[in-house]
Amino acid sequence: MIDISPSVMQFLLAFVVAAPLLGAAAALLPAPPGLKGKSPDQAVLRHGVTVTGAILLAALALTAGFDHDDPSRMQATTDVSWIRALDVRIHLGVDGISLPLLVLTALLTFLCALYSYFKPPTGPSPKAFVALLLVLEAGTLATFAVLDLVLFFLAFEMVLVPMYFLIARWGGEGRRAAAGKFILYTLLGSVVMLLGLLLVGIKAGTFDMVALAADGGRGLNTSVQVTAVLAIGVGLAVKTPMWPLHSWLPDAHTAAPTVGSVLLAGVLLKMGTYGFVRIALPISPDGMRTLAPYLAAFASVGIVYGSLACLALARPGSKGDLKRLIAYSSVGHMGFVLLGIATLTPTGVNGALFANIAHGLITGLLFFLVGAVKDRYGTADLDTLAGATGAALYGRAPRLGALLAFAAVASLGLPGLAGFWGEMLALFAAFDPAEGLSRPAYLVFMVLGGLGTLLTAAYLLIVVRRVCMGGPRPAGEPELADVQAYELAAWTPLAALTVLAGLWPAVLLGLTDPAVQQLLAGGTQ
């Protein structure tokens, strides 16, 4: 920890939340003389790298100044009145739960901007692309930093428009239908969530999330809590996405540009599970206790369903799209996150938060790599890639093949890599759920989760065999470019953090555990 004054910490958090919006507005303006570079397009893409880089540096400074000895306390707080009539406040703060997600968002957005500078997405003007990317970052960062239910909803919704246009304007085949399905599902879920948030705020007399968590649901009777969790949970479950509300996700990922898929999987899906931990668990504990077994049931079915869908796509002759397969894998992986939350135990919730970060790192890397394979081969269809001899990345592009195999084994939960700890903790918590929950039912959920891990290993190893292995390059087929320098720069941090989190999980768990313990015990300080 570096000793940084509270006022500077306040500024850093406010800068992290506000700077993307200012950067988005500046991206739409003409570039000043001398900063245009070779072309205006290059200038605006460089602007995106600069702004996201500054935000990442601010997030790292915020982490350095964070009091790691007291991660359960809200730090870098700002609390000013905004709409007096409704008692809505601009209340910002971070603790051990939200800080890792804040840094993950800043890192992934910077890496996406850096990747796009060297390989701009095919589509309309880069000005609009950079502006939308920054608005998306602003909404996501605000979701993890705000401590007012109304502001949370506004930030939660803020990401929909930029992601819709990133898919619809810069996506691939079927992009308009996929974008429409994405926004329709999430908007419908958000309407129900808003009703739940308003119910909590009106019944409790405040929208302040810290005050509501400290009250521990004592101001809300059980029927109100159950209704609120049901309404709020629907909106969060759509964004997570939880089976059977997941069907928008595979289409959105398949059609999205590479950086859109990275941010959708690495950041946006985390907003739903974060809402369960930050809002549902501490504010409506009785409601969560009532509905937790149902959440765990949906989560465990989703784990198996996602794995079986991936196994079907990986099978030879199925014409499975590799991006679609990774999208379905997210349904399974996020099922482990929901299962951990549904145990209502510190072990399970810590595992869920760890799995959140691990999924962001690993699946972000996977979508980068699949995008690179698609760029080189012109397709992500597994049957076309494998062909008669296999894509043979080990022999034709060894660094790309090695990175793809690494990301795959990390995703299947190999011990020593980040993907292992979160899923293991979620299963361990399901073996011994919170008091009052049916242990036989949770043992069934644990068995289903264990089956899901076996199926995950099966389909990912099939993918590695079909894409990375194979015979020599056929005569007349052009050489395949291996990993380029800019790709290595964008992918190395994700691979390094995957190893670091796997070998040293205490770095993350040491942040989340005190905050989770206090949250489950009745709120935050």
Side-chain angles (χ1 to χ4, degrees):
M1 172 186 169
I2 299 175
D3 188 15
I4 300 178
S5 69
S7 58
V8 174
M9 290 287 284
Q10 283 182 330
F11 170 78
L12 286 172
L13 183 57
F15 176 82
V16 164
V17 173
L21 287 178
L22 299 176
L28 298 175
L29 300 175
L35 295 180
K36 292 184 178 181
K38 297 178 181 178
S39 69
D41 288 352
Q42 184 191 45
V44 75
L45 290 169
R46 185 170 60 247
H47 169 79
V49 175
T50 303
V51 174
T52 55
I55 293 163
L56 176 59
L57 289 176
L60 294 175
L62 189 69
T63 305
F66 187 82
D67 185 357
H68 293 259
D69 294 327
D70 192 12
S72 62
R73 176 174 59 88
M74 283 295 172
Q75 302 180 35
T77 54
T78 298
D79 188 5
V80 296
S81 179
W82 183 35
I83 305 175
R84 289 186 180 275
L86 299 176
D87 193 27
V88 177
R89 308 183 67 81
I90 298 177
H91 193 181
L92 307 176
V94 290
D95 64 356
I97 292 171
S98 54
L99 182 63
L101 290 166
L102 209 71
V103 176
L104 175 67
T105 301
L107 173 65
L108 283 177
T109 312
F110 170 70
L111 296 179
C112 286
L114 181 66
Y115 183 85
S116 300
Y117 177 75
F118 292 97
K119 188 172 182 57
T122 303
S125 164
K127 273 192 173 188
F129 174 82
V130 171
L132 289 169
L133 190 69
L134 291 172
V135 172
L136 181 68
E137 181 180 28
T140 313
L141 290 169
T143 300
F144 300 136
V146 298
L147 297 171
D148 183 278
L149 290 178
V150 175
L151 282 185
F152 176 86
F153 177 77
L154 294 176
F156 197 86
E157 293 303 286
M158 186 176 172
V159 304
L160 299 185
V161 172
M163 182 53 73
Y164 169 82
F165 282 108
L166 285 174
I167 298 172
R169 301 298 301 276
W170 286 270
E173 185 179 352
R175 59 184 182 271
R176 294 191 182 277
K181 195 172 184 179
F182 160 75
I183 202 164
L184 179 63
Y185 267 72
T186 48
L187 275 177
L188 288 174
S190 297
V191 169
V192 181
M193 183 178 76
L194 177 60
L195 296 176
L197 295 174
L198 292 175
L199 175 64
V200 169
I202 292 170
K203 290 292 185 179
T206 180
F207 290 102
D208 187 271
M209 292 159 65
V210 175
L212 288 165
D215 185 60
R218 287 180 287 274
L220 305 171
N221 61 45
T222 301
S223 62
V224 169
Q225 289 192 36
V226 171
T227 304
V229 170
L230 192 59
I232 295 169
V234 167
L236 298 175
V238 171
K239 187 66 71 74
T240 298
M242 180 184 76
W243 178 90
L245 303 174
H246 68 283
S247 60
W248 61 269
L249 183 71
D251 292 339
H253 269 309
T254 304
T258 295
V259 296
S261 292
V262 170
L263 292 175
L264 183 58
V267 177
L268 265 68
L269 304 190
K270 313 303 175 284
M271 295 166 64
T273 50
Y274 173 78
F276 276 107
V277 175
R278 178 63 73 198
I279 298 174
L281 273 177
I283 294 176
S284 303
D286 292 339
M288 275 298 292
R289 188 171 296 275
T290 301
L291 296 174
Y294 302 99
L295 178 63
F298 283 120
S300 56
V301 171
I303 292 170
V304 176
Y305 169 82
S307 301
L308 289 174
C310 291
L311 203 56
L313 289 170
R315 191 180 66 249
S318 65
K319 290 292 181 182
D321 186 280
L322 194 49
K323 287 187 73 176
R324 195 174 188 86
L325 184 147
I326 303 302
Y328 269 111
S329 77
S330 291
V331 176
H333 288 306
M334 298 310 289
F336 281 103
V337 177
L338 292 173
L339 178 60
I341 294 171
T343 65
L344 306 184
T345 62
T347 301
V349 177
N350 277 306
L353 293 171
F354 197 102
N356 253 347
I357 301 299
H359 180 265
L361 296 171
I362 296 168
T363 308
L365 178 59
L366 273 171
F367 275 115
F368 268 134
L369 292 166
V370 173
V373 170
K374 186 173 182 179
D375 289 338
R376 286 157 172 77
Y377 284 95
T379 182
D381 180 80
L382 268 170
D383 287 337
T384 305
L385 285 173
T389 61
L393 285 180
Y394 287 153
R396 301 181 60 191
R399 288 186 296 176
L400 182 59
L403 277 170
L404 183 60
F406 166 81
V409 297
S411 184
L412 64 82
L414 185 73
L417 298 176
F420 170 74
W421 294 105
E423 296 181 2
M424 186 273 288
L425 288 172
L427 293 176
F428 185 75
F431 180 77
D432 188 18
E435 186 179 349
L437 299 177
S438 170
R439 192 174 183 220
Y442 274 80
L443 288 176
V444 173
F445 304 149
M446 183 192 72
V447 170
L448 289 174
L451 175 61
T453 62
L454 296 176
L455 295 173
T456 299
Y459 71 74
L460 284 170
L461 291 176
I462 290 173
V463 168
V464 170
R465 177 177 58 80
R466 299 190 69 197
V467 177
C468 296
M469 302 178 185
R473 178 171 58 92
E477 189 171 316
E479 290 283 351
L480 192 67
D482 207 345
V483 177
Q484 304 297 301
Y486 72 91
E487 293 173 327
L488 200 61
W491 303 343
T492 300
L494 300 179
L497 288 171
T498 298
V499 175
L500 177 64
L503 295 177
W504 198 9
V507 173
L508 185 55
L509 293 174
L511 273 177
T512 62
D513 185 53
V516 167
Q517 295 276 0
Q518 188 149 317
L519 213 61
L520 292 175
T524 58
Q525 291 177 345

